[in-house]
Amino acid sequence: MIDVLVVDDDFRVAEINAKYVGKVPGFRVAARAHSAAQALASVQRGTIDLVLLDHYLPDQTGLELVHRMRDQGHGTDVIMVTAAGDVTTVQAAMRLGALHYLVKPFTFAALRTRLDSYAALRRTVDRVGGRGIAGQEQVDRIFSALRTTPAPASPGLPSGHSEPTTDLICRVLHHAEHPLSAHEVAAETGLSRSTAQRYLRHLEQAGRLRLSLRYGDTGRPEHRYAWVAP
């Protein structure tokens, strides 16, 4: 599991972000902090893998906190999640080694994409690290693991469909223990129900999902979708 520290001065926002993190497989919230001092104390305990960091904190800015972390020798990974959208702050975050920069407000799907790419980065580094020395191919693989720019729809996708969203839905269904409805898929991915339904219909027609019907006591049957192993 990847242990995450959620840092935000707003208690409600911190709770929402923590719930988002808890919905992503492989991640768990190890601690919450509402000031730079609290966050630094959590990092100093040495159990944090990743910090989701707001920039506007009551005692220091998020970037000042990262400075202190680095000065003390803490290489804990950082993803900025903040309303600070000015280019100066973004550039400073890059120079301090922030792996992603997510501008508020954002959706669960946007955060999940960054967390998934971070998990992919850790897996790639672990695989390459076993070889001791990385060649250019391995280095390229490490850097490419963090890319989250949505790709244009491939020729196999209908207009208006994207590969990242398709992959996200496929991952949810692949890991589900039982068939899911469009409503459940929407809740897991952060998409609207109509968008989830549109993608599910295409994936079922393409043979990647199996459709079943669940009949209740009254009303129309509920459409439920299950992953079809290749």
Side-chain angles (χ1 to χ4, degrees), residues 1-8 13-34 42 47-52 111 115:
M1 295 292 287
I2 296 173
D3 288 323
V4 180
L5 169 63
V6 176
V7 184
D8 200 292
V13 173
E15 184 62 26
I16 292 172
N17 291 347
K19 288 181 178 178
Y20 279 173
V21 171
K23 292 171 65 177
V24 182
F27 291 82
R28 64 185 173 194
V29 177
R32 299 172 179 80
H34 308 292
S42 293
T47 59
I48 302 300
D49 299 306
L50 174 67
V51 181
L52 293 188
L111 178 59
L115 293 180

Side-chain angles (χ1 to χ4, degrees), residues 61-191:
T61 67
L63 294 185
E64 288 171 340
L65 170 60
V66 178
H67 264 298
R68 291 184 65 190
M69 288 167 52
R70 302 301 183 239
D71 286 344
Q72 294 183 15
H74 301 295
T76 311
D77 293 321
V78 173
I79 293 178
M80 300 296 296
V81 285
T82 176
D86 59 285
V87 175
T88 300
T89 302
V90 174
Q91 287 181 324
M94 292 175 61
R95 289 165 182 155
L96 285 171
L99 298 178
H100 284 298
Y101 197 106
L102 198 55
V103 179
K104 297 177 182 179
F106 52 85
T107 64
F108 166 64
L111 178 59
R112 177 165 187 163
T113 298
R114 273 71 179 180
L115 293 180
D116 283 343
S117 73
Y118 174 71
L121 171 67
R122 287 173 63 98
R123 291 193 298 268
T124 303
V125 170
D126 287 343
R127 288 196 298 268
V128 174
R131 304 173 187 175
I133 299 176
Q136 187 62 53
E137 180 182 351
Q138 288 75 36
V139 171
D140 290 343
R141 193 175 303 159
I142 291 172
F143 275 85
S144 66
L146 280 173
R147 294 175 186 165
T148 60
T149 304
S154 69
L157 291 177
S159 176
H161 288 62
S162 72
E163 286 285 359
T165 303
T166 300
D167 291 343
L168 176 60
I169 291 176
C170 287
R171 282 198 300 270
V172 168
L173 269 298
H174 179 68
H175 293 292
E177 297 179 355
H178 52 77
L180 301 179
S181 66
H183 177 77
E184 290 170 326
V185 171
E188 286 291 326
T189 59
L191 301 169

Side-chain angles (χ1 to χ4, degrees), residues 181 193 197 201 211-225:
S181 66
R193 186 179 183 278
Q197 202 164 32
R201 189 179 303 115
L211 172 65
S212 60
L213 300 177
R214 186 172 74 178
Y215 292 87
D217 296 332
T218 60
R220 300 172 59 186
E222 182 182 49
H223 289 202
R224 302 185 70 80
Y225 299 85

